[in-house]
């Protein structure tokens, strides 16, 4: 069975459709041939039975009228008792006792093989002396058998021919039906970037297939464009720290100065740290775009926010004050690394623009959602730029330092990948307000 499935799966769609249609047509025509032969057989046997019954009734009428069994006997008519013993002076019947009992019960029989095939039929009658006699008549079915044999052969041959014709018609029809698909396949293979397949005018399956192809091509072109743009932006961002490290190293080699060595190494370390952060963000974005995410698990958002504040506080000594507001425990469906990445990027972004205070709040929002709110008292974000800030490599204020414009896009990708949302607005007293709604 497995070998047949492999063989069947390796055949073309046109051949498979043709074979199925041909096989179904052959089976249907053979069944119709058998049905036709059966109907013809029943008709011939019924006609023979009618003729034999007329002969039996005629002989029975003579016996009822008192005629002797010898007078009612004929070439195809015999008179016997209920045990099958002849009473007409003729020889014994060439029948078994079981066959005689079947005739006495009113059943007609076909006895013999081709070409000596006979039809036997009996009629019971009560003669004037009160005894029961069987009028047995027999007819020759050789002609009917020959006709049936010829009819069966003819019907089978006609079924085979018609099945072959149906198979050829199915092959031609399938080929004609699939020819537009072949043309569409060849057109798609030779389609230049940015072009689309022509859509057929009729509203049929081919039109739907062409429209789906065009949607797929549009998604492909969009993905390629985003990949090219992302690659170009990433290369540009990577060039800056690499060029800075190289320039500082070349200056240090060309003009060795022990007094500037520590400052040079510190600058190289800062640029290397910036490069490492950029590469980590790029890898995280690539994994988020690819949809490769580990299974979600409950993560304590309050504890994760406290840890993120502790990390931010340890990284700087002159930054704004950090405040955590968490009235109730809350857990979200994610992974600890995703939650830490989201919190670190939001807190760092808020600290970069805050004047004196950054507030992190973990608030319930129904039974299935938790709100994470990060606010600062900085200048805020203009309303026209509140959607643009999630674009990759975009920095509204490059002079603020730090970051490569990947933090907020990474936050949006991670949160939306878990079915959440990220929005940005303004505080009532001024400053930016980021709100993350995370599924529990």
């Amino acid at each position: 069975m497995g070998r047949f499935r492999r063989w069947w799966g390796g055949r073309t769609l046109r051949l498979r459709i043709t074979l199925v249609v041909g096989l179904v047509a052959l089976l249907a025509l053979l069944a119709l041939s058998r049905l036709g032969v059966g109907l013809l057989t029943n008709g011939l046997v019924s006609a023979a039975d009618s003729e034999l019954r007329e002969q039996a009734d005629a002989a029975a009428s003579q016996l009822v009228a008192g005629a002797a069994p010898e007078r009612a006997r004929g070439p195809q008519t015999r008179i016997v008792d209920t045990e099958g013993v002849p009473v007409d002076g003729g020889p014994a019947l060439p029948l078994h006792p079981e066959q005689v009992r079947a005739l006495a019960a009113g059943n007609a029989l076909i006895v013999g093989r081709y070409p000596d095939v006979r039809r036997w039929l009996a009629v019971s009658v009560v003669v004037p002396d009160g005894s029961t006699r069987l009028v047995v008549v027999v007819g020759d079915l050789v002609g009917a058998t020959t006709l049936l044999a010829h009819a069966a052969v003819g019907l089978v041959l006609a079924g085979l021919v018609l099945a072959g014709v149906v198979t050829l018609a199915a092959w031609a029809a399938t080929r004609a039906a699939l020819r537009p698909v072949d043309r569409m396949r060849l057109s798609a293979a030779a389609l230049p970037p940015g072009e689309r397949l022509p859509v057929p005018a009729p509203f049929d399956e081919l039109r739907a297939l062409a429209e789906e192809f065009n949607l797929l091509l549009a998604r492909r072109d969009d993905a390629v464009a985003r990949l090219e743009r992302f690659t170009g932006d990433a290369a540009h961002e990577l060039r800056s720290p690499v060029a800075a490290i190289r320039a500082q190293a070349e200056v240090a080699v060309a003009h060795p100065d022990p007094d500037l060595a520590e400052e040079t190494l510190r600058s190289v370390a800062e640029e290397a740290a910036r490069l490492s952060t950029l590469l980590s963000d790029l890898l995280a974005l690539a994994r988020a775009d690819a949809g490769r995410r580990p299974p979600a698990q409950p993560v304590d958002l309050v504890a994760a926010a406290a840890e993120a504040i502790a990390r931010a506080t340890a990284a700087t000594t002159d930054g704004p004050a950090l405040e955590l507001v968490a009235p109730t425990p809350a857990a979200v469906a994610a992974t600890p690394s995703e939650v830490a990445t989201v919190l670190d990027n939001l807190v760092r972004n808020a600290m970069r623009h805050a004047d004196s205070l950054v507030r992190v709040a973990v608030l319930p929002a129904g039974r299935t959602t938790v709100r994470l709110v990060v606010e600062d008292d900085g200048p805020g974000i203009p309303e026209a730029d509140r959607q643009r800030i999630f674009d990759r490599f975009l920095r509204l204020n490059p002079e603020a330092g730090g970051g490569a414009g990947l933090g907020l896009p990474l936050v949006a990708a991670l949160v939306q990948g878990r079915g959440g949302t990220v929005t940005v607005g303004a505080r009532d007293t001024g400053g930016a307000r980021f709100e993350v709604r995370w599924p529990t």
Side-chain angles (χ1 to χ4, degrees):
M1 192 65 181
R3 183 179 301 176
F4 173 76
R5 288 180 178 177
R6 289 192 296 271
W7 177 87
W8 182 258
R11 307 282 75 79
T12 62
L13 180 62
R14 182 182 306 166
L15 178 61
R16 283 185 284 175
I17 293 177
T18 303
L19 290 177
V20 170
V21 172
L23 180 60
V24 171
L26 178 62
L27 294 177
L29 291 172
L30 289 178
L32 288 176
S33 299
R34 182 169 181 175
L35 178 62
V37 172
L39 293 176
L40 181 59
T41 300
N42 291 335
L44 292 176
V45 171
S46 297
D49 287 348
S50 297
E51 184 178 349
L52 294 175
R53 195 170 298 279
E54 289 179 359
Q55 297 178 12
D57 290 340
S61 299
Q62 295 180 17
L63 293 176
V64 171
E70 292 80 0
R71 294 187 57 187
R73 174 184 171 186
Q76 296 179 331
T77 306
R78 298 295 306 278
I79 311 301
V80 298
D81 60 12
T82 56
E83 299 296 329
V85 178
V87 296
D88 56 0
L93 297 179
L95 299 174
H96 300 295
E98 295 81 3
Q99 294 174 330
V100 174
R101 285 193 290 270
L103 289 175
N107 299 322
L109 301 177
I110 294 179
V111 180
R113 295 184 178 181
Y114 184 81
D116 188 16
V117 182
R118 296 176 179 275
R119 180 72 170 176
W120 293 81
L121 186 145
V123 174
S124 61
V125 60
V126 179
V127 296
D129 62 0
S131 60
T132 301
R133 298 288 184 261
L134 292 179
V135 180
V136 180
V137 290
V138 61
D140 192 356
L141 295 181
V142 175
T145 305
T146 304
L147 176 62
L148 289 175
H150 292 165
V153 172
L155 289 175
V156 170
L157 291 178
L160 293 175
V161 172
L162 288 176
V165 172
V166 171
T167 302
L168 293 176
W171 174 267
T174 307
R175 184 177 181 181
L178 294 178
R179 188 176 292 116
V181 179
D182 291 336
R183 290 198 298 265
M184 188 179 299
R185 175 179 58 83
L186 296 175
S187 299
L191 203 63
E195 297 294 329
R196 298 291 181 268
L197 289 173
V199 178
F203 288 90
D204 55 5
E205 291 80 3
L206 291 177
R207 181 187 180 94
L209 180 61
E211 292 175 346
E212 290 298 327
F213 261 126
N214 288 337
L215 292 176
L216 178 63
L217 292 172
R219 291 195 296 270
R220 181 205 64 181
D221 292 344
D222 181 63
V224 170
R226 286 190 288 107
L227 179 60
E228 291 177 349
R229 185 169 61 252
F230 178 76
T231 303
D233 293 338
H236 175 74
E237 292 295 331
L238 289 171
R239 188 183 296 115
S240 298
V242 171
I245 293 174
R246 178 179 179 181
Q248 291 169 357
E250 289 177 349
V251 170
V253 170
H255 305 283
D257 187 348
D259 297 333
L260 298 178
E262 183 178 354
E263 181 180 353
T264 301
L265 290 175
R266 186 179 297 109
S267 298
V268 170
E270 291 175 356
E271 292 297 336
R274 177 187 172 195
L275 180 60
S276 177
T277 302
L278 178 59
L279 290 174
S280 298
D281 290 344
L282 288 174
L283 290 174
L285 276 173
R287 286 192 294 267
D289 289 342
R292 294 194 297 267
R293 298 181 180 87
Q297 56 182 305
V299 180
D300 188 345
L301 189 57
V302 176
E307 294 172 1
I309 290 175
R311 286 193 296 269
T313 303
T316 180
T317 58
D318 57 352
L322 295 172
E323 177 183 342
L324 175 61
V325 178
T328 59
V332 295
T335 62
S337 61
E338 291 175 349
V339 174
T341 301
V342 170
L343 285 165
D344 288 342
N345 280 286
L346 289 177
V347 171
R348 282 202 304 264
N349 181 76
M351 292 178 64
R352 191 177 301 124
H353 300 91
D355 291 334
S356 59
L357 177 64
V358 173
R359 179 180 290 110
V360 180
V362 179
L363 307 171
R367 300 181 59 183
T368 60
T369 308
V370 173
R371 286 193 305 156
L372 170 66
V373 180
V374 180
E375 300 175 328
D376 63 70
D377 58 354
I381 301 174
E383 187 173 355
D385 296 327
R386 290 176 184 173
Q387 292 299 325
R388 296 177 57 237
I389 59 173
F390 295 106
D391 295 340
R392 297 175 182 183
F393 301 104
L394 176 68
R395 286 177 287 182
L396 297 179
N397 186 13
E399 293 78 9
L406 291 177
L408 294 179
L410 180 57
V411 168
L414 293 176
V415 174
Q416 292 170 2
R418 294 298 183 183
T421 59
V422 182
T423 56
V424 60
R427 295 176 62 201
D428 296 336
T429 58
R433 184 177 189 272
F434 286 84
E435 180 174 326
V436 175
R437 289 183 174 264
W438 229 324
T440 59

